Amino acid sequence: EVYVASTKFLEAQSQASLCMYKWTCAENNKGIQDVSEKLCSLTLAWTEVQKKLVCKIENENGLKEIMQEERNVEESRERQKAALFRKITLKKQVCTKRMQKYLNKLKE
């Protein structure tokens, strides 16, 4: 999402710079040409900063997703341990009840 928006912005910025360059070439005004060159340099620097920012945001989002998945896995492990504990407890209860029934039958 950020990447797509940033790419569209960079394309529009590049197109505007190209139009400015064409117009500057058509004019024989040294001042306009100097300003255009400085604007072009600034645009290139800004584009690089934007690309780095998008990469950083994407990496941070990826890291957040990984951390969330790790939390999900840990929660699943905890639920599995709890379920295993309940299973063992239930088995013990069943065995105890069976043993009590058996002992009651022996007493009769």
Side-chain angles (χ1 to χ4, degrees):
E1 195 173 306
V2 173
Y3 177 77
V4 172
S6 178
T7 301
K8 287 180 181 180
F9 179 77
L10 291 175
E11 288 173 4
Q13 197 174 33
S14 191
Q15 186 65 29
S17 292
L18 183 61
C19 290
M20 176 75 120
Y21 174 75
K22 288 179 181 178
W23 176 71
T24 302
C25 288
E27 293 290 321
N28 259 346
N29 186 329
K30 183 67 174 158
I32 292 175
Q33 290 173 352
D34 288 345
V35 168
S36 178
E37 286 177 19
K38 289 180 182 179
L39 183 60
C40 186
S41 296
L42 183 61
T43 300
L44 287 173
W46 179 245
T47 301
E48 287 302 313
V49 168
Q50 287 175 323
K51 286 179 182 177
K52 288 178 182 178
L53 178 63
V54 167
C55 286
K56 184 175 181 177
I57 289 171
E58 287 177 344
N59 287 340
E60 286 177 0
N61 286 340
L63 181 60
K64 286 178 186 175
E65 289 174 9
I66 289 170
M67 290 173 68
Q68 180 60 43
E69 291 301 319
E70 286 178 351
R71 283 191 292 271
N72 292 345
V73 167
E74 188 60 34
E75 289 172 2
S76 295
R77 285 182 182 147
E78 291 299 321
R79 284 192 302 271
Q80 183 182 23
K81 286 179 188 177
L84 183 59
F85 180 75
R86 282 192 306 263
K87 179 182 173 184
I88 291 170
T89 303
L90 290 172
K91 280 185 175 183
K92 285 181 181 179
Q93 289 174 355
V94 167
C95 285
T96 303
K97 286 181 181 181
R98 284 184 182 167
M99 185 60 90
Q100 286 174 350
K101 283 182 182 179
Y102 178 74
L103 290 175
N104 288 338
K105 283 185 180 182
L106 285 178
K107 287 180 182 178
E108 295 175 355

